[in-house]
Amino acid sequence: MVTLGLIGFGTISRAIVSAFPPDSCRWVALMREGARPALPANVSTVTQLDALISARPSTVVEAASQEAVAAYVPALLDAGIPTIIASIGAFSDPILAARLTDASRNSGARLVLPSGALGGLDYLRAIAALPDARVRYTSRKPPAAWKAELATLGLSAEHDAVSLFEGTPAQAAKLYPKNLNAAFAVALAAGIDKVTVSVVADPKTTGNTHEIEVESTAGTASFRLVNAPSPSNPKTSMLTALSLVAALSELLDREGCH
């Protein structure tokens, strides 16, 4: 039976665990002290990073936060444990990004950044070398996904779309650390300096919508993905967990564990 690790055990982690047969994996989840979630029979918890490393998981999936990436992932990579990161916005910190990249290179442990809620990243990587390339990424979600943010700004998107933000990927990652990992996935693929990010609360959208518009000497492109939100968290797309499952399955196949 393969041992796999998780950082956090919320909506995404539950979906990941449920995607694998219960008798095929043993999961160890790193959680905050005092957390008491209901757990499947094949999931145990630890509250210290050393305990997770001692369990020697074949792979760890981070599905918690940018702060969790900074706190735990460098040590996992140093220990030679392959790690899949959901909170890609953590790479907006150049010092942390360099630390993660160096740890992966030095230990040989794979650092995997899945596509998450997006598609078309192969196109963006292809045009990244073109100096004239320009990319606009727009996150368009129903007002329910931005209820707290709208209330804080004293705005209502009950009838018309409301623009909440426009700026750089790094600014977006810091302002919305739990909601705009997709924006930084675009930035990593195309080049941070080429991307503008917009955030829109739109009552007319039916799901979590990602719009990517590209112009370069290679041509123009437009991608639009309308993802069904997670039933238990409207800010997260169902596709995010599916992407992590696909990345984990591929990594296990490469390691001969699955």
Side-chain angles (χ1 to χ4, degrees):
M1 183 177 287
V2 178
T3 297
L4 299 170
L6 295 163
I7 300 176
F9 199 76
T11 299
I12 292 174
S13 290
R14 288 185 182 279
I16 293 171
V17 169
S18 68
F20 292 83
D23 58 353
S24 69
C25 306
R26 181 174 76 91
W27 301 85
V28 181
L30 177 61
M31 302 186 63
R32 295 187 307 272
E33 195 83 47
R36 296 286 186 272
L39 297 171
N42 62 336
V43 179
S44 61
T45 64
V46 295
T47 57
Q48 299 296 324
L49 177 60
D50 287 347
L52 177 59
I53 292 174
S54 295
R56 298 311 303 174
S58 297
T59 303
V60 171
V61 181
E62 173 278 318
S65 65
Q66 293 180 27
E67 291 79 11
V69 174
Y72 306 125
V73 176
L76 289 169
L77 294 171
D78 285 340
I81 299 173
T83 306
I84 300 170
I85 292 181
S87 304
I88 294 177
F91 278 74
S92 61
D93 179 344
I95 296 175
L96 175 59
R99 173 75 175 92
L100 293 168
T101 302
D102 289 345
S104 175
R105 182 186 301 113
N106 293 336
S107 70
R110 284 176 56 83
L111 174 63
V112 180
L113 306 180
S115 57
L118 293 176
L121 297 185
D122 53 344
Y123 183 97
L124 296 179
R125 284 189 286 268
I127 58 92
L130 300 175
D132 73 319
R134 293 292 177 266
V135 180
R136 171 175 287 274
Y137 166 79
T138 301
S139 172
R140 193 179 297 273
K141 297 182 182 182
W146 300 112
K147 185 175 180 180
E149 289 80 3
L150 287 165
T152 298
L153 295 171
L155 299 173
S156 171
E158 184 178 352
H159 302 294
D160 298 307
V162 172
S163 176
L164 294 174
F165 170 83
E166 180 160 336
T168 68
Q171 289 169 335
K174 288 180 173 62
L175 193 59
Y176 302 108
K178 295 183 178 180
N179 308 314
L180 285 181
N181 286 302
F184 216 79
V186 169
L188 288 177
I192 295 174
D193 59 329
K194 296 179 173 67
V195 180
T196 300
V197 177
S198 297
V199 178
V200 179
D202 189 347
K204 296 182 176 65
T205 192
T206 56
N208 294 343
T209 303
H210 306 271
E211 299 168 352
I212 305 170
E213 298 170 287
V214 188
E215 293 185 3
S216 74
T217 51
T220 61
S222 179
F223 308 100
R224 187 171 187 268
L225 299 94
V226 182
N227 298 335
S230 166
S232 56
N233 183 357
K235 293 187 177 183
T236 299
S237 298
M238 288 178 61
L239 189 60
T240 300
L242 294 173
S243 172
L244 291 167
V245 168
L248 178 56
S249 296
E250 181 180 354
L251 191 56
L252 290 175
D253 285 342
R254 289 189 179 191
E255 300 290 329
C257 300
H258 172 142

